[in-house]
Amino acid sequence: MRYILAVPMEAFFDVLEQLYKKVLLGATLENENHDYIFYLNPASLDQDCSTAASSECPNPHGVQDKHQPSSANLATISAVPVCLKKHSPIRSAREVVLLQLTVIKVMITRILSVETDFRAKEKYRDTIKVLLKSSDIDSKLTCMFQNSDKLLSHMAAKCLALLLYFQLREKITFSNSWIAFCQKNLSEYPENEKAVYCLWTLTVIIKEIFKDTCSQKTEILKQFLTPFDTIFEVFYNSLFSQHFESCQDTSKIINSLICFLELLELLIASRIHLKLHFTCQRILFLKPSCVLDVITWPVQAFVKRKFIIFIKKCLLWKVGEDLCRASSPVLMPPDRHLDVDMLALADAVLRAVDLGLLRTLSVHGKPPCFGGDEIQPTCEHVPGPDHVILRAASLLIIKSVEIKFQSCASADEMKVDLQSFMCELLTFLKPHLQPSLQSHNLCEWISKVFIEQDDDMLEAAKASLGIYLKLTRQCKATESSTQEKEMWNHHTHEYGYNPHCIFLFLLKNIGFDSSVLLDFLISSETCFLEYFVRYLKLLQKDWAHFFTICKYFDVTESKDSINICGCSSSFVQDGSSNQTELSPSAAPGSPRSAHASISWASNVSSGSLSHLVISKETYATLQADSLPPLRASQSLVDYDSSDDSEAEGTDQHSANSKQTSLHQEAMKKSQDPVGTGTDKKQLRLEPQSRPLVPKQSNSPFSVDCDRVPNNVSEVGISYTTLKCFEELQGAIYRLQKKNLFPYNATALLKLLKHIEAIYNEHMNAL
């Protein structure tokens, strides 16, 4: 005969609270496992959090001790849920269940943590196993999903997800009821509204797989995805085949879209990082138009924004980057199947652009802000476009073009495609950029669009460089005449992808500050290293073109009365002139709000670059006004606080230091090894008085930095660029010598040294 044990609510809650405190501290549990199951087995509640019993529960044996049930009643206690007394307040019943779920959640978290004591972890593991065997807890938690109490519903889903992941880790077979519950609800969407709870639970499980430190992630994920692989495709088709305009309650569709988008990102991330090939992981690439169509729906701007950013992250292989930092896809072996899928996605994006995708994007309205888009009445609303969408859409197109060109062999076809898509993009961007793009050099679009997002700016620059290199290789095989080469150069400016212009605009954005480039090289948050190396290799072969463009920059700067090399820390922008503030921020991977911008002379066309000749009067003007460039006025680290950095021994640093400590030490040691902080400030204004790189006898290279420009042809942006390279070269050398640089930079130093040699040779020939 079964008996139901009735325990006073307050006593029951006190025991649970004590158990929670012990588990939170990771303390070992002393009692038998069954003793704790009594308190952890959730009470059955209806949607109003009322008690499960309609009458007072019988208590033939009286109330047991509140801390531990008697051993004689262990079977009875573990088999029957707690019966909450009729007179107990509803609020207390809710709190008991929430505390039960919290204890279970913390206990599983402790099991998964490497910091938990082994003996305590084993006790927790045994307790959870007994809980899974002795009660139908899966069904109880799924019943709480649609509870009107949102907190209770959320905690139930979170707790169930952790229990399911625990079963995966311990190789315990899922209950058939749970699998059937998910398959039924996902297959019956949109008629069945419980699908969103399944999506949320599945998302949490995959997140736990990624966060786990065990070496069996791939096997665990494979076991998890197997029963759901087919049903995901059914749900995918149902979700994106809905007619949004005809739906009465669009909030439910939006909720489903956002939940599934998060799950889809994790599935694709697991495809990249864990090398599995389930259909559900490839569904986006097999049917990309479904997701792209959402961008054209009459849906709220934040939904479109999420979908555009999601597709951008897919093309950049950055899906799930917050969970997968330990294994960057750049370091992974090539995946031919994934390359094919990325090409399919890029083709779908470009087809959508052809059909007018950009024309459906509205970038006006309330700007996205942290905490929402509502602006307080007392705050002034500054009108402007949604720069998040501008950046994402721009990178979406330029990256898709690069991916498509990788498998294209026809130069003519690539030129036609590039002209078409860049015209679409620039037409889309021009109305939203202030100050507006000058038609004489459209290569500035990258610096203007991505001025507040360094990582995206460098991705766009790298993609643009990839397009240029691919086209260059194809055109060299077909073009031979001088006229064809001039047309080719004109084409690169007309459609905004000339790599030298783009790189010079990037340097102008950071005020030619070598410490910012050093930040980029050390940081793992941008692709600057890859981009920089590829550009330097191009610069070695294309120096004449680079120098011609530099002269063009010098002439237009002179005509606009802007001195690129001026030592003034800032220009005050008056709103009507073309002078722009020069006070760049130096934080890597973070927004930069104040940068230099260039305005091109209205009477000079981009086609004149290859024929440009600079008069002596122009250079005389440049020489008279020029001084070597200042460092950026705002830097990531206060370098003047490290006066005695060179005096520190190098034996305390090792090559195996963590990336973060390397970054911190590198920033402290990257500056001038001699002199005090006060002297440094003076030396920055007169860099010609000392070498940019210390001439040490054991240095593997020597930089001729004592040359002071005594010829007018040496003054200008090319000279400023090389000075920046020399400072960067010296900083890298000093750091690598002390084992403070996070990777072997020997090849990079050789590239910089070679560029300097080419420059000196060019200057001597003038």
Side-chain angles (χ1 to χ4, degrees):
M1 181 177 181
R2 286 187 173 183
Y3 295 100
I4 300 176
L5 182 66
V7 176
M9 180 67 68
E10 292 302 321
F12 192 93
F13 191 87
D14 288 344
V15 175
L16 263 180
E17 194 171 32
Q18 292 299 319
L19 179 59
Y20 168 73
K21 291 178 180 178
K22 294 192 70 173
V23 176
L24 191 63
L25 295 173
T28 304
L29 304 180
E30 296 84 5
N31 297 342
E32 294 294 327
N33 294 326
H34 287 81
D35 296 353
Y36 301 106
I37 302 306
F38 167 70
Y39 295 102
L40 293 178
N41 193 5
S44 298
L45 302 177
D46 62 18
Q47 291 190 3
D48 296 321
C49 292
S50 59
T51 59
S54 59
S55 60
E56 188 169 343
C57 303
N59 183 15
H61 296 288
V63 176
Q64 299 289 332
D65 179 74
K66 68 178 181 180
H67 295 289
Q68 176 181 341
S70 67
S71 58
N73 292 322
L74 283 177
T76 303
I77 294 168
S78 61
V80 182
V82 178
C83 180
L84 304 177
K85 286 195 173 184
K86 181 180 178 181
H87 60 268
S88 298
I90 294 177
R91 179 175 175 272
S92 296
R94 173 181 179 273
E95 289 180 350
V96 166
V97 177
L98 286 173
L99 187 55
Q100 287 175 316
L101 299 178
T102 302
V103 174
I104 295 172
K105 173 179 171 291
V106 174
M107 191 174 289
I108 297 176
T109 304
R110 275 293 180 184
I111 294 172
L112 301 176
S113 173
V114 295
E115 299 178 357
T116 308
D117 177 72
F118 176 78
R119 183 166 172 266
K121 184 181 294 189
E122 287 299 308
K123 188 69 175 180
Y124 299 156
R125 180 181 286 111
D126 293 341
T127 301
I128 295 298
K129 285 182 177 180
V130 173
L131 178 65
L132 289 169
K133 290 179 181 179
S134 61
S135 63
D136 190 13
I137 192 169
D138 290 0
S139 299
K140 293 175 185 176
L141 294 177
T142 53
C143 288
M144 296 183 191
F145 277 3
Q146 282 192 295
N147 198 291
S148 58
D149 188 320
K150 296 302 180 183
L151 178 58
L152 187 62
S153 175
H154 172 82
M155 284 298 298
K158 178 74 173 178
C159 189
L160 177 60
L162 289 174
L163 283 170
L164 292 170
Y165 181 62
F166 175 82
Q167 294 177 67
L168 286 170
R169 279 285 304 265
E170 300 297 322
K171 294 181 171 56
I172 301 173
T173 305
F174 280 170
S175 66
N176 292 329
S177 61
W178 159 246
I179 296 177
F181 175 82
C182 281
Q183 291 177 340
K184 178 178 183 297
N185 291 312
L186 291 174
S187 62
E188 293 178 356
Y189 183 85
E191 287 77 14
N192 195 321
E193 298 178 359
K194 295 181 182 179
V196 68
Y197 302 106
C198 299
L199 294 175
W200 195 89
T201 306
L202 296 171
T203 299
V204 173
I205 294 173
I206 298 180
K207 282 184 178 180
E208 291 299 326
I209 294 174
F210 271 117
K211 289 191 294 184
D212 204 342
T213 57
C214 72
S215 59
Q216 300 176 338
K217 291 183 179 181
T218 303
E219 292 76 11
I220 292 175
L221 184 64
K222 183 177 181 180
Q223 178 188 351
F224 171 66
L225 291 180
T226 300
F228 303 109
D229 190 33
T230 305
I231 203 65
F232 276 141
E233 184 176 2
V234 175
F235 178 80
Y236 185 91
N237 294 333
S238 301
L239 177 64
F240 293 110
S241 62
Q242 298 177 90
H243 297 286
F244 186 82
E245 301 89 342
S246 60
C247 294
Q248 295 180 349
D249 189 358
T250 57
S251 63
K252 293 181 179 179
I253 298 181
I254 293 174
N255 194 22
S256 300
L257 284 171
I258 299 302
C259 287
F260 184 68
L261 192 65
E262 186 178 9
L263 176 60
L264 189 60
E265 180 175 351
L266 291 172
L267 290 172
I268 297 172
S270 66
R271 164 88 185 282
I272 295 173
H273 294 273
L274 301 182
K275 301 299 181 184
L276 289 175
H277 301 281
F278 282 94
T279 302
C280 62
Q281 296 172 297
R282 300 186 60 216
I283 189 65
L284 169 68
F285 308 105
L286 296 174
K287 300 178 180 181
S289 59
C290 295
V291 174
L292 288 166
D293 286 345
V294 176
I295 301 174
T296 66
W297 288 4
V299 69
Q300 287 94 325
F302 82 92
V303 178
K304 294 187 177 186
R305 191 182 303 124
K306 278 183 172 292
F307 272 80
I308 293 175
I309 292 175
F310 164 70
I311 299 171
K312 179 200 77 173
K313 290 166 70 175
C314 289
L315 292 172
L316 297 177
W317 288 33
K318 289 188 174 183
V319 282
E321 59 182 344
D322 295 335
L323 296 170
C324 313
R325 289 195 178 276
S327 53
S328 172
V330 177
L331 304 177
M332 292 183 177
D335 186 334
R336 183 177 62 85
H337 301 290
L338 186 58
D339 291 339
V340 172
D341 284 350
M342 289 296 178
L343 177 59
L345 179 59
D347 279 336
V349 170
L350 296 178
R351 282 197 304 271
V353 173
D354 261 339
L355 296 174
L357 176 67
L358 294 181
R359 291 189 289 274
T360 67
L361 289 179
S362 175
V363 296
H364 295 289
K366 296 178 180 179
C369 305
F370 180 77
D373 57 5
E374 294 297 328
I375 299 176
Q376 296 295 328
T378 56
C379 299
E380 182 181 357
H381 171 59
V382 180
D386 186 342
H387 289 281
V388 175
I389 288 185
L390 288 181
R391 288 193 296 266
S394 301
L395 193 49
L396 202 66
I397 294 176
I398 196 74
K399 189 64 183 178
S400 295
V401 171
E402 182 197 18
I403 293 173
K404 182 179 181 180
F405 283 9
Q406 289 172 359
S407 61
C408 188
S410 170
D412 291 336
E413 180 185 346
M414 286 190 285
K415 284 184 177 180
V416 171
D417 285 344
L418 184 61
Q419 177 179 349
S420 172
F421 295 123
M422 288 306 298
C423 282
E424 283 275 354
L425 177 58
L426 293 173
T427 301
F428 169 69
L429 292 175
K430 280 181 180 179
H432 308 298
L433 297 181
Q434 295 298 329
S436 61
L437 279 175
Q438 299 296 324
S439 60
H440 311 294
N441 195 318
L442 299 176
C443 301
E444 194 180 6
W445 74 270
I446 289 180
S447 295
K448 283 183 173 291
V449 171
F450 298 99
I451 196 168
E452 296 181 357
Q453 196 73 33
D454 289 336
D455 54 347
D456 281 354
M457 177 171 64
L458 294 172
E459 289 285 358
K462 183 167 74 77
S464 179
L465 177 60
I467 292 170
Y468 177 87
L469 294 175
K470 177 67 176 180
L471 272 171
T472 301
R473 287 192 294 268
Q474 296 298 323
C475 291
K476 281 183 178 179
T478 58
E479 297 175 355
S480 56
S481 68
T482 303
Q483 184 179 3
E484 287 176 332
K485 292 180 180 178
E486 290 177 358
M487 288 298 296
W488 160 244
N489 288 334
H490 176 78
H491 191 274
T492 64
H493 294 280
E494 186 179 3
Y495 298 109
Y497 65 98
N498 184 278
H500 301 302
C501 286
I502 290 172
F503 185 74
L504 290 174
F505 279 123
L506 168 63
L507 288 183
K508 285 171 62 61
N509 274 357
I510 63 173
F512 295 88
D513 188 352
S514 62
S515 65
V516 178
L517 298 184
L518 183 65
D519 290 343
F520 283 156
L521 288 172
I522 292 175
S523 172
S524 61
E525 297 178 359
T526 72
C527 63
F528 181 71
L529 173 62
E530 183 183 357
Y531 166 66
F532 192 45
V533 169
R534 293 181 72 184
Y535 177 74
L536 291 179
K537 289 181 178 179
L538 169 67
L539 186 57
Q540 290 180 122
K541 303 175 183 178
D542 201 25
W543 178 261
H545 188 197
F546 169 78
F547 195 73
T548 301
I549 292 176
C550 286
K551 289 191 286 186
Y552 184 75
F553 269 69
D554 294 337
V555 169
T556 53
E557 287 290 336
S558 177
K559 290 184 178 182
D560 288 338
S561 301
I562 299 179
N563 182 9
I564 296 176
C565 307
C567 74
S568 174
S569 62
S570 66
F571 289 100
V572 178
Q573 184 176 4
D574 60 7
S576 60
S577 70
N578 290 326
Q579 296 178 347
T580 309
E581 186 181 34
L582 278 172
S583 56
S585 169
S590 62
R592 307 180 185 282
S593 58
H595 303 282
S597 65
I598 189 168
S599 298
W600 293 84
S602 59
N603 59 344
V604 183
S605 68
S606 58
S608 64
L609 283 170
S610 56
H611 302 289
L612 185 140
V613 178
I614 297 181
S615 65
K616 292 182 179 180
E617 290 80 10
T618 300
Y619 268 123
T621 302
L622 289 168
Q623 185 186 33
D625 293 337
S626 68
L627 281 174
L630 272 179
R631 298 187 184 279
S633 60
Q634 298 174 3
S635 185
L636 179 66
V637 177
D638 182 8
Y639 297 103
D640 291 336
S641 64
S642 303
D643 297 333
D644 57 347
S645 60
E646 285 292 321
E648 297 179 12
T650 59
D651 55 339
Q652 57 184 311
H653 307 293
S654 66
N656 296 326
S657 300
K658 293 183 179 180
Q659 176 83 7
T660 53
S661 61
L662 279 169
H663 181 272
Q664 293 169 353
E665 291 295 326
M667 291 296 93
K668 291 179 182 178
K669 310 255 182 171
S670 61
Q671 292 301 310
D672 181 29
V674 294
T676 63
T678 303
D679 295 334
K680 288 178 186 176
K681 293 180 180 178
Q682 298 172 352
L683 289 172
R684 288 177 188 173
L685 296 175
E686 300 179 359
Q688 67 269 30
S689 65
R690 64 170 176 85
L692 290 169
V693 179
K695 293 186 177 180
Q696 300 169 341
S697 59
N698 59 347
S699 172
F701 60 88
S702 61
V703 183
D704 185 13
C705 308
D706 292 322
R707 300 183 60 212
V708 180
N710 51 19
N711 186 302
V712 291
S713 62
E714 291 188 48
V715 178
I717 200 169
S718 61
Y719 175 75
T720 309
T721 301
L722 265 293
K723 295 281 281 185
C724 180
F725 284 175
E726 289 170 359
E727 291 180 354
L728 177 65
Q729 188 181 16
I732 294 173
Y733 173 72
R734 289 193 297 273
L735 294 175
Q736 182 155 292
K737 182 181 177 183
K738 295 172 180 249
N739 290 328
L740 293 176
F741 208 70
Y743 50 85
N744 189 346
T746 302
L748 178 59
L749 289 171
K750 288 181 179 178
L751 275 174
L752 290 169
K753 179 65 177 176
H754 191 204
I755 295 298
E756 182 207 357
I758 295 174
Y759 174 78
N760 291 333
E761 181 181 350
H762 183 88
M763 290 293 100
N764 292 331
L766 292 177

